[in-house]
């Protein structure tokens, strides 16, 4: 249920991501590719980077492979989805 996200940058500027509706996000110190390639946490190299993922929707936990499936209200069904957001640097 995030509507906006703000980052305070090292130069005291504020970077804002704002959407008309709600969205999901993830902030990580490693790229998705780095995480998939690493077999263990010790295989990851810390860099001075931040990776941000903005998602229109995110499915709830569970996939019926070894436990219960996701509750219907948290599933994402096939269809067309749109996601509009603004990036503001102040």
């Amino acid at each position: 249920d995030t509507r906006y996200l703000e980052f305070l940058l090292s130069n005291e500027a504020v970077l804002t991501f704002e959407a008309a509706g709600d969205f999901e996000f993830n902030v990580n110190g490693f790229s998705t590719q780095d995480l998939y390639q690493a077999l263990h946490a010790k295989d990851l190299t810390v860099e001075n980077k931040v990776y941000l993922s903005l998602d229109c929707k995110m499915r709830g936990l569970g996939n019926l492979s070894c436990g219960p499936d996701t509750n219907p209200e948290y599933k994402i069904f096939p269809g067309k989805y749109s996601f509009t957001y603004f990036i503001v640097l102040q």
Side-chain angles (χ1 to χ4, degrees), residues 53-85:
S53 297
L54 299 177
D55 299 298
C56 175
K57 297 198 177 289
M58 189 174 290
R59 179 186 162 105
L61 295 176
N63 62 11
L64 204 57
S65 67
C66 62
D69 196 6
T70 305
N71 289 345
E73 64 268 27
Y74 300 112
K75 288 183 179 181
I76 300 173
F77 296 99
K80 291 185 179 184
Y81 298 92
S82 66
F83 177 46
T84 302
Y85 61 92

Side-chain angles (χ1 to χ4, degrees), residues 1-60:
D1 293 337
T2 303
R3 293 204 180 259
Y4 72 94
L5 175 65
E6 291 184 340
F7 293 94
L8 178 61
L9 306 179
S10 60
N11 63 355
E12 301 297 320
V14 177
L15 181 63
T16 304
F17 296 82
E18 186 172 350
D22 56 346
F23 64 93
E24 306 288 335
F25 74 93
N26 181 307
V27 178
N28 203 318
F30 305 102
S31 71
T32 303
Q33 181 179 356
D34 290 342
L35 292 171
Y36 277 117
Q37 289 178 346
L39 297 177
H40 305 282
K42 66 180 176 126
D43 298 333
L44 295 167
T45 303
V46 176
E47 298 180 39
N48 191 23
K49 294 182 181 179
V50 175
Y51 295 89
L52 171 65
S53 297
L54 299 177
D55 299 298
C56 175
K57 297 198 177 289
M58 189 174 290
R59 179 186 162 105

